[in-house]
């Protein structure tokens, strides 16, 4: 039987009474307008359910985020949960400030209840870390975070966690994916009305005590709590949640630690899924922190910190000698790890059983720092699902080992073991602690970085991110990876190439992943990786400079990084 065309699929949607009148009308309008391009985008495939969940533009159709694709994803998750034969299965749910997030969270709860799985849902929006913490607190089988993280406003998504509080990993992730694609009829999905399920005890609001326990837990991980309590008011903090879920939890965490001189960007304080003041609510981008930087200059602040909608990322800016500096994700990780290890060593809290986890595309300078402190460091695939998967593995196989810190270059950090995902809330409070520590020594964060570079060597990291949208974009990204997978030259820009690692072959004990690593004789590294959640391909440039003064190292590294960026961009455009 011939496969259906996208237009046929669209007509079926428009005529199916299962879908709401509004949903059918949206698709009918596309058909009437003969908008074939948009029909193709919405119906050429089922919305992809990846190893961590799904993320897409909101809208009607099988390749969009809507209540129907959320129902389908939740049914798939419930089937895997029920397969575990737990006596009283439950799933925790949280959501951020994005458009439809609360509605989609309730839809997910209705499907859970319909399948006999109890749903615990937060009364108000909360970050990723509090979802992970709730899963562990309730001893639930799984968790769901309704979010599209830092994507543009038109996106939303669905992130799946397992019973350990980490994003779901094999074999459960693949089982859920198989379940998802096995659902071909939306009418087979089981649901129970929200109010009915609440009355039946199948949906419950998460108690406030869970949040209180979380705040106490992260406060206990402060390295120098007394310094913060005594001097917290001396650091003027500018914070922005960028219209996301971070205002209440980050303000609370800072206050608990003793930071009383905190100023929130008023125009960005209120949760708003339209993110009206930014092009994209991503604190990795300087433009998203502009209003906070303006407030810092107006008030004479010491540090700007910003978090994304689901508050799992941290961006930082400071002003030094009249110039604004936006720290990279790697630099923030370097500052945090060095602070933790140097202070722990001074207090006698390092004993050879401590460990750190990072992704392979995160600066190798962290490896150098950890090893010099006698701390073991593990490298994983990109993403905190793999980082926390390693934490969970070590918890079982080497319980004597103690977790210290985890990071990836994309502005994600975890400085405690109470949750199993990157935590922007504790990252904000810890960054304030680091900044205060150095301010009391008469140093800013650039001074601190230079001191680290002098001791451990200089490393510069740059990211080239190229967007390729839609069907054509997917094909383009595939061609780029194929071209570099078949790369046969011995050098790039005069740098002798000593090895190409193809992680799709499952090397170094890691799961197979569509990642390439280029390793050069002089220590430089370049990684290529298509994004798993966005229509883009990323190139991670890592330059190591070992000769000359620190000033010369910085200049030489910048030149080489720029050359690499230009080279890979041009090669990608030709693909």
């Amino acid at each position: 039987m011939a496969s259906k065309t996208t237009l046929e699929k669209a007509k079926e949607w428009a005529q199916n009474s299962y879908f709401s009148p509004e949903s059918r009308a949206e698709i009918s309008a596309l058909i009437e307008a003969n908008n074939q391009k948009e029909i193709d985008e919405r119906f050429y495939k089922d919305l992809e359910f990846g190893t961590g969940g799904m993320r897409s533009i909101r809208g009607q159709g099988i390749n969009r985020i809507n209540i129907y694709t959320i129902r389908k994803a939740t049914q798939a998750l419930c089937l895997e949960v029920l397969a575990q034969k737990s006596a009283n299965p439950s799933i925790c749910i949280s959501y951020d400030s994005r458009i439809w997030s609360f509605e989609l969270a309730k839809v997910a709860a209705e499907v859970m209840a319909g399948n006999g799985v109890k749903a615990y849902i937060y009364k108000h929006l909360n970050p990723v870390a509090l979802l992970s913490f709730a899963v562990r607190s309730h001893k639930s089988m799984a968790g769901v975070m309704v979010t599209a993280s830092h994507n543009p406003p038109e996106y939303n998504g669905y992130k799946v966690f397992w019973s350990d509080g980490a994003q779901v990993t094999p074999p459960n992730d693949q089982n859920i994916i198989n379940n998802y694609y096995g659902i071909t009829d939306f009418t087979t999905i089981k649901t129970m009305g929200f109010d009915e399920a609440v009355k039946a005890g199948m949906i419950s609001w998460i108690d406030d005590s869970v949040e209180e326990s979380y705040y106490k837990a992260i406060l206990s991980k402060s390295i120098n709590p007394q310094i913060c309590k005594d001097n917290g008011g001396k650091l003027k903090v500018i914070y922005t949640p960028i219209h996301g879920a971070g205002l209440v939890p980050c303000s609370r965490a800072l206050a608990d630690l003793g930071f009383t001189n905190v100023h929130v960007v008023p125009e960005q304080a209120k949760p708003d899924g339209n993110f009206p003041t930014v092009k994209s609510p991503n604190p990795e981008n300087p433009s998203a922190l502009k209003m906070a930087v303006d407030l810092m200059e107006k008030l004479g602040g010491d540090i700007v910190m910003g978090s994304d909608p689901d508050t799992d990322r941290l961006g930082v800016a400071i002003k030094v000698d009249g110039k604004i500096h936006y720290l990279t994700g790697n630099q923030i990780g370097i500052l945090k790890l060095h602070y933790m290890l140097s202070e722990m060593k001074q207090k006698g809290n390092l004993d050879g059983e401590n460990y750190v986890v990072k992704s392979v595309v995160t600066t190798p300078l962290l490896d150098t720092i950890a090893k010099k402190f006698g701390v073991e460091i593990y490298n994983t695939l990109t993403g905190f699902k793999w980082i926390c998967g390693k934490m969970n593995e070590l918890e079982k196989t080497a319980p004597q080992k103690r977790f210290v810190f985890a990071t990836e270059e994309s502005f994600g950090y975890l400085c405690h073991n109470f949750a199993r995902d990157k935590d922007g809330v504790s990252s904000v409070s810890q960054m304030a602690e680091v900044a205060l520590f150095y301010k009391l020594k008469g140093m800013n964060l650039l001074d601190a970085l230079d001191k680290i570079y002098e001791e451990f060597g200089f490393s510069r990291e740059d990211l080239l991110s190229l967007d390729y949208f839609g069907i054509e974009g997917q094909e383009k990204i595939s061609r780029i990876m194929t071209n570099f997978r078949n790369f046969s030259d011995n050098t790039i820009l005069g740098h002798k190439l000593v090895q190409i690692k193809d992680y799709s072959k499952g090397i170094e004990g890691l799961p197979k992943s569509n990642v390439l690593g280029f390793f050069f004789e002089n220590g430089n590294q370049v990684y290529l990786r298509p994004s798993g959640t966005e229509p883009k391909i990323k190139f991670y440039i890592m330059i190591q400079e070992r000769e000359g003064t620190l000033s010369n190292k910085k200049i030489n590294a910048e030149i080489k990084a720029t050359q690499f960026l230009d080279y890979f961009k041009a090669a990608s455009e030709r693909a």
Side-chain angles (χ1 to χ4, degrees), residues 479-543:
R479 288 198 302 274
I480 293 169
M481 291 300 292
T482 297
N483 288 353
F484 280 110
R485 200 162 259 126
N486 296 327
F487 192 83
S488 58
D489 291 351
N490 295 321
T491 62
I492 294 180
L493 299 173
H495 301 268
K496 185 177 180 181
L497 189 62
V498 294
Q499 187 179 18
I500 298 177
K501 292 183 181 180
D502 187 350
Y503 289 85
S504 69
K505 298 178 179 178
I507 62 175
E508 299 177 343
L510 299 174
K512 294 180 180 180
S513 183
N514 190 17
V515 177
L516 290 172
F518 285 67
F519 296 81
F520 299 89
E521 189 175 53
N522 54 14
N524 297 334
Q525 302 174 23
V526 179
Y527 285 88
L528 288 66
R529 184 182 76 89
S531 172
T533 56
E534 299 173 87
K536 62 178 58 180
I537 183 169
K538 296 181 178 181
F539 298 79
Y540 303 83
I541 316 294
M542 303 180 187
I543 306 297

Side-chain angles (χ1 to χ4, degrees), residues 43-84:
F43 288 95
Y44 83 97
K45 66 173 184 176
D46 281 310
L47 178 59
E48 184 174 343
F49 196 104
T51 55
M54 57 191 192
R55 195 182 298 185
S56 181
I57 295 170
R58 300 185 321 278
Q60 303 309 306
I62 59 175
N63 190 33
R64 289 290 183 263
I65 286 286
N66 50 61
I67 65 172
Y68 308 108
T69 50
I70 291 293
R71 283 178 184 170
K72 183 176 175 179
T74 307
Q75 182 67 44
L77 172 59
C78 286
L79 290 173
E80 178 63 5
V81 165
L82 292 170
Q84 310 308 308

Side-chain angles (χ1 to χ4, degrees), residues 10 21 65 88 154 182 485 554:
I65 286 286
N88 298 293
E154 60 269 23
R485 200 162 259 126
K554 289 181 178 181

Side-chain angles (χ1 to χ4, degrees), residues 318-335:
I318 58 174
K319 186 176 183 179
V320 177
D321 296 331
K323 183 180 178 182
I324 303 300
H325 297 266
Y326 297 90
L327 301 189
T328 68
N330 283 302
Q331 289 173 328
I332 296 169
I334 289 166
L335 286 165

Side-chain angles (χ1 to χ4, degrees), residues 236-540:
K236 186 174 285 188
V237 175
I238 310 298
Y239 168 68
T240 174
I242 318 180
H243 306 289
L247 176 63
V248 172
C250 290
S251 298
R252 167 70 185 272
L254 286 166
D256 284 354
L257 198 49
F259 291 97
T260 57
N261 197 356
V262 178
H263 304 265
V264 178
V265 178
E267 299 90 343
Q268 297 179 325
K270 182 181 177 182
D272 187 339
N274 290 303
F275 309 112
T277 63
V278 292
K279 183 178 179 181
S280 180
N282 186 354
E284 301 177 49
N285 300 331
S287 59
L289 299 179
K290 183 182 185 306
M291 296 186 80
V293 166
D294 290 345
L295 187 60
M296 175 177 68
E297 296 202 271
K298 178 182 177 182
L299 299 180
D302 293 300
I303 185 172
V304 159
M305 292 188 283
S307 55
D308 58 344
D310 58 347
T311 321
D312 63 354
R313 282 177 168 82
L314 165 69
V316 175
I318 58 174
K319 186 176 183 179
V320 177
D321 296 331
K323 183 180 178 182
I324 303 300
H325 297 266
Y326 297 90
L327 301 189
T328 68
N330 283 302
Q331 289 173 328
I332 296 169
I334 289 166
L335 286 165
K336 284 174 170 284
L337 179 63
H338 182 264
Y339 170 71
M340 294 183 78
L341 296 185
S342 58
E343 288 299 289
M344 288 173 71
K345 181 180 180 180
Q346 185 175 339
K347 298 174 189 299
N349 293 331
L350 291 180
D351 58 9
E353 295 292 353
N354 311 90
Y355 74 92
V356 171
V357 192
K358 74 175 188 69
S359 68
V360 293
V361 299
T362 301
T363 176
L365 187 57
L366 292 171
D367 300 72
T368 304
I369 293 170
K371 289 170 184 174
K372 285 200 175 182
F373 278 101
V375 172
E376 197 162 4
I377 187 161
Y378 297 91
N379 282 276
T380 71
L381 294 176
T382 304
F384 257 74
K385 68 174 291 179
W386 302 114
I387 287 173
C388 293
K390 173 58 73 172
M391 291 171 61
N392 291 326
E393 174 193 322
L394 292 171
E395 200 171 61
K396 296 171 184 174
T397 61
Q400 78 281 5
K401 292 185 178 295
R402 284 180 290 282
F403 171 76
V404 176
F405 185 65
T407 182
E408 61 181 5
E409 54 74 40
S410 56
F411 295 72
Y413 317 95
L414 183 63
C415 58
H416 59 82
N417 58 359
F418 303 115
R420 288 293 187 274
D421 206 337
K422 50 187 176 284
D423 181 358
V425 180
S426 62
S427 293
V428 164
S429 57
Q430 186 192 48
M431 195 70 233
E433 181 175 338
V434 173
L436 175 64
F437 176 83
Y438 285 111
K439 182 175 184 179
L440 295 175
K441 291 179 175 290
M443 301 167 64
N444 59 54
L445 295 179
L446 294 189
D447 296 331
L449 277 169
D450 281 350
K451 186 178 178 183
I452 294 169
Y453 292 145
E454 292 280 13
E455 182 177 356
F456 296 93
F458 182 72
S459 177
R460 177 189 172 109
E461 297 78 30
D462 285 88
L463 175 67
L464 172 65
S465 183
L466 301 176
D467 295 313
Y468 297 108
F469 297 97
I471 303 169
E472 293 179 359
Q474 282 190 333
E475 294 170 350
K476 174 86 168 178
I477 290 171
S478 180
R479 288 198 302 274
I480 293 169
M481 291 300 292
T482 297
N483 288 353
F484 280 110
R485 200 162 259 126
N486 296 327
F487 192 83
S488 58
D489 291 351
N490 295 321
T491 62
I492 294 180
L493 299 173
H495 301 268
K496 185 177 180 181
L497 189 62
V498 294
Q499 187 179 18
I500 298 177
K501 292 183 181 180
D502 187 350
Y503 289 85
S504 69
K505 298 178 179 178
I507 62 175
E508 299 177 343
L510 299 174
K512 294 180 180 180
S513 183
N514 190 17
V515 177
L516 290 172
F518 285 67
F519 296 81
F520 299 89
E521 189 175 53
N522 54 14
N524 297 334
Q525 302 174 23
V526 179
Y527 285 88
L528 288 66
R529 184 182 76 89
S531 172
T533 56
E534 299 173 87
K536 62 178 58 180
I537 183 169
K538 296 181 178 181
F539 298 79
Y540 303 83

